[in-house]
Amino acid sequence: MAAVPARAQLPNWIQQPAAPLPPPVDYLAVARKQLAMQSRFIPQTDRVGIVDFGLPSSRPRFALVDMIAGKIEMFPVTHGRGSDPQHDGWLKSFSNRVGSLATSRGGYRTGDYYWGANGSSMRLAGLEPDNNNADMRAIVVHGAWYADPSLIATQGKLGRSEGCFVFGEELLPQILYKIGPGRLLFADRLSEMPPVSAPFQLPPADPLPGMENLRRASSFSGNLPTTAD
């Protein structure tokens, strides 16, 4: 009987799958800190929702933290149109003002389930000066088509809400079930946004002090052209 040939040895980069990237922030530590700060308002401490608005809407940025097992699940979630007027997928600012259509930062207590204009939803109570208008602004958790993760593949970002925390309609039942009433939902810019490049500026027309006698070297004489061919 012929011997079975040994399996060819593949390079390590093929044999070993790449390890998943760690979360950009220690969301478990953030959840512990925020629970300690808001403990008198939060009766259920087994799970916490952390929304990292330092990440764009093209990234999963709602961290559902299991405080008992220490596990974290990540899901995409929207931000308000008032926080992203350019609609490029990045939250630029927070607002608690009525009519701002923006996202508010801070800690919320999750409330009752209800059926509203957007179907199954969950009320939120703002616990801080930065979000204490949540009830007046009707800031809630709900689902919508414009939060479907499939949009990330086609347009590179989710749609925008009017300040609510909106999930894809297929994800919503899981989110509502796991976060449940009486728990902490905390939102802030936790990850570092990439630096914004400063616009290019031409040097000043007048020479700087001490450089009055310097001349620009060039292959031609006369004034430099002001437009390109």
Side-chain angles (χ1 to χ4, degrees), residues 38 40-42 95-96 104-111 122-140 165 183-187:
Q38 305 289 357
R40 65 189 185 277
F41 301 119
I42 307 298
S95 178
N96 190 36
S104 299
R105 75 194 327 157
Y108 300 80
R109 182 180 61 248
T110 58
M122 172 182 281
R123 303 184 196 279
L124 295 173
L127 304 176
E128 303 183 37
D130 284 339
N131 64 5
N132 58 9
N133 285 331
D135 184 58
M136 190 183 307
R137 297 181 60 207
I139 302 301
V140 301
F165 300 89
R183 293 183 172 88
L184 176 65
L185 173 64
F186 177 74

Side-chain angles (χ1 to χ4, degrees), residues 8 14 24 27 34 36 49-50 88 90 125 129 132 135 152 196 199 221:
I14 294 179
Y27 298 120
Q34 295 301 321
I50 303 290
D88 61 10
W90 292 90
N132 58 9
D135 184 58
I152 296 172
V196 178
S221 60

